[in-house]
Amino acid sequence: MRKNPILLGIGAVTAVAALAGTAALAQRSGSALTQVAQFDHQVTGVAVTPDGRRFVNFPRWTDDAPISVAEVMKDGSLRPYPDAKWNEWRNARANELSVADHFVCVQSVVADGRGNLWALDPGAPGNEKILPGAPKLVKIDLKTNAVAKIIPVPEDVALQGTYLNDIRFSPDGKLGYITDSGTRGAIIVVDLESGKSWRTLDGHPSTQVDKTVNVVLDGKPLRRPDGRQPMFASDGIAISQDGKTLFYQALTGKTLYSINTDLLRPDVPENQRAAAVKTVAQTHVADGLWMSRTGVLYLTSPTDYSIKRLNGAAIETVLTDRRLRWPDTFSEGPDGRMYVTASHIQDTQWFTPGAPPSIKTQLFSFPPVR
């Protein structure tokens, strides 16, 4: 009998839920959330390595951040990573420094579990125009603390209007899957050995903004001064532990989708891919996704300051804490403890006229669902 790929992808989640029991899934108190660090600039991504090192990144959205990628030291201080040179690019020095070998606007950092940290740079300061030659994926060797490889994302893949958002890796370390949350959503696949990349599900309804979604925060619709609300396409991304199923969702959306990763190969016809997209669950406005090592799929929930998880086709609350002002991106520690950034998007100049360009943001952790 033909197996359903979506059941393969979420089977582990369902099994964990059955063991956990209803009581363990009750909403946790805010005390479950521990602040790990606080920053003076807007943070988005976080990565925790198998040996417990912690990394974060600061995109240049409303603020010319002095560091793009940093290691969070034990005392909470930041060390530019891999070095100061890679972090010296500034909006004010855009004509002086090469965008090819400097971080321009890093959106996420992810440890691959194979001794590397990867920094994803959409190369679009202010989440606006892409600077030619700036979109790239940077591989950093965690032993030598040096850049080992730069993979440029060419202009026929990182189209003008593209915003490279987050990345997950195949278990064999050969492929990277990136969400494009820009004006024409897609899933971008990168061959990490050859450096070649290609767009998939380009313009497919599953990767697009859901225009019926109204983002409500702090009791009112979230709007820019000109009346626009956040309009981000495919954003959160997760991959099953066996690497066979990719999960993704538009931030301005309410549906979690999946697809068999075999269908994201470049030789698969786009119509075949499109027909194979599965609806996993009806959800909520979600930014970050994470599949834990125990098979729990976590989702952030900015509109109610919470962390949720998938249980079969149902979405359940793990914890709620008003300190989670726009919970953004997840990572998992070596002991299973979960880490999440609070990027405070609603507090930026985009949505709060008169706000300073630099805002306080945080990194939190919480115990995993068992």
Side-chain angles (χ1 to χ4, degrees):
M1 184 176 72
R2 184 176 181 272
K3 295 184 178 180
N4 187 330
I6 189 62
L7 295 180
L8 290 173
I10 65 175
V13 177
T14 306
V16 170
L19 293 172
T22 304
L25 295 174
Q27 179 173 319
R28 297 180 180 178
S29 68
S31 62
L33 195 70
T34 300
Q35 182 171 306
V36 175
Q38 180 164 282
F39 313 111
D40 293 329
H41 301 273
Q42 188 178 27
V43 69
T44 51
V46 57
V48 184
T49 65
D51 59 358
R53 295 171 70 183
R54 300 167 301 185
F55 299 88
V56 292
N57 69 268
F58 304 93
R60 290 185 168 87
W61 284 358
T62 60
D63 161 38
D64 204 0
I67 300 176
S68 287
V69 178
E71 182 170 5
V72 182
M73 309 308 287
K74 291 183 179 180
D75 63 359
S77 63
L78 298 178
R79 177 169 75 113
Y81 196 79
D83 54 38
K85 182 180 182 299
W86 264 92
N87 285 273
E88 68 181 357
W89 196 92
R90 301 286 186 277
N91 291 330
R93 300 182 62 192
N95 295 324
E96 301 175 28
L97 299 173
S98 166
V99 297
D101 55 4
H102 291 85
F103 295 134
V104 173
C105 181
V106 175
Q107 176 62 24
S108 62
V109 286
V110 181
D112 63 7
R114 309 172 77 87
N116 306 295
L117 180 76
W118 293 82
L120 183 62
D121 186 352
N127 200 352
E128 294 180 349
K129 185 178 180 180
I130 291 174
L131 302 185
K136 56 188 172 292
L137 189 56
V138 181
K139 177 182 179 181
I140 306 168
D141 187 316
L142 289 164
K143 286 185 179 179
T144 63
N145 298 315
V147 170
K149 190 171 190 177
I150 304 170
I151 302 178
V153 183
E155 60 183 13
D156 62 342
V157 177
L159 309 172
Q160 198 57 250
T162 286
Y163 194 80
L164 306 177
N165 197 292
D166 206 353
I167 186 169
R168 296 294 179 263
F169 302 101
S170 60
D172 62 9
K174 293 182 178 180
L175 296 173
Y177 303 97
I178 299 172
T179 45
D180 176 356
S181 63
T183 56
R184 183 174 167 176
I187 302 297
I188 294 170
V189 186
V190 182
D191 184 318
L192 301 174
E193 296 178 343
S194 70
K196 293 181 179 179
S197 55
W198 57 94
R199 296 177 69 84
T200 70
L201 300 174
D202 184 0
H204 186 270
S206 67
T207 60
Q208 304 307 295
V209 167
D210 183 341
K211 294 181 180 179
T212 70
V213 169
N214 187 30
V215 181
V216 177
L217 260 166
D218 300 332
K220 59 184 179 182
L222 185 63
R223 296 289 185 270
R224 294 192 184 191
D226 63 4
R228 288 181 296 161
Q229 75 157 340
M231 299 292 279
F232 295 106
S234 51
D235 190 309
I237 188 170
I239 192 167
S240 60
Q241 290 300 317
D242 61 10
K244 294 180 179 180
T245 306
L246 193 73
F247 300 86
Y248 59 95
Q249 178 172 329
L251 190 158
T252 310
K254 57 185 177 182
T255 308
L256 177 67
Y257 296 99
S258 74
I259 190 168
N260 188 318
T261 53
D262 282 345
L263 297 175
L264 299 177
R265 300 189 316 268
D267 58 340
V268 174
E270 191 62 31
N271 61 349
Q272 183 179 342
R273 260 196 288 267
V277 171
K278 305 291 184 181
T279 296
V280 180
Q282 294 304 303
T283 58
H284 53 276
V285 172
D287 196 331
L289 304 180
W290 185 267
M291 180 68 77
S292 76
R293 290 188 293 272
T294 59
V296 176
L297 182 63
Y298 292 94
L299 308 88
T300 67
S301 182
T303 61
D304 62 357
Y305 324 98
S306 71
I307 305 299
K308 301 185 187 296
R309 54 81 52 91
L310 179 69
N311 179 23
I315 302 297
E316 299 172 331
T317 298
V318 174
L319 66 86
T320 299
D321 192 309
R322 291 189 70 89
R323 292 177 295 168
L324 285 172
R325 291 189 68 77
W326 204 281
D328 196 304
T329 305
F330 291 115
S331 190
E332 184 175 0
D335 59 354
R337 190 169 183 86
M338 296 298 301
Y339 291 76
V340 62
T341 54
S343 63
H344 289 246
I345 286 178
Q346 66 267 53
D347 300 322
T348 66
Q349 291 179 335
W350 279 357
F351 300 106
T352 304
S358 299
I359 58 174
K360 298 285 187 181
T361 59
Q362 297 82 29
L363 172 63
F364 294 102
S365 70
F366 61 91
V369 172
R370 299 296 185 187

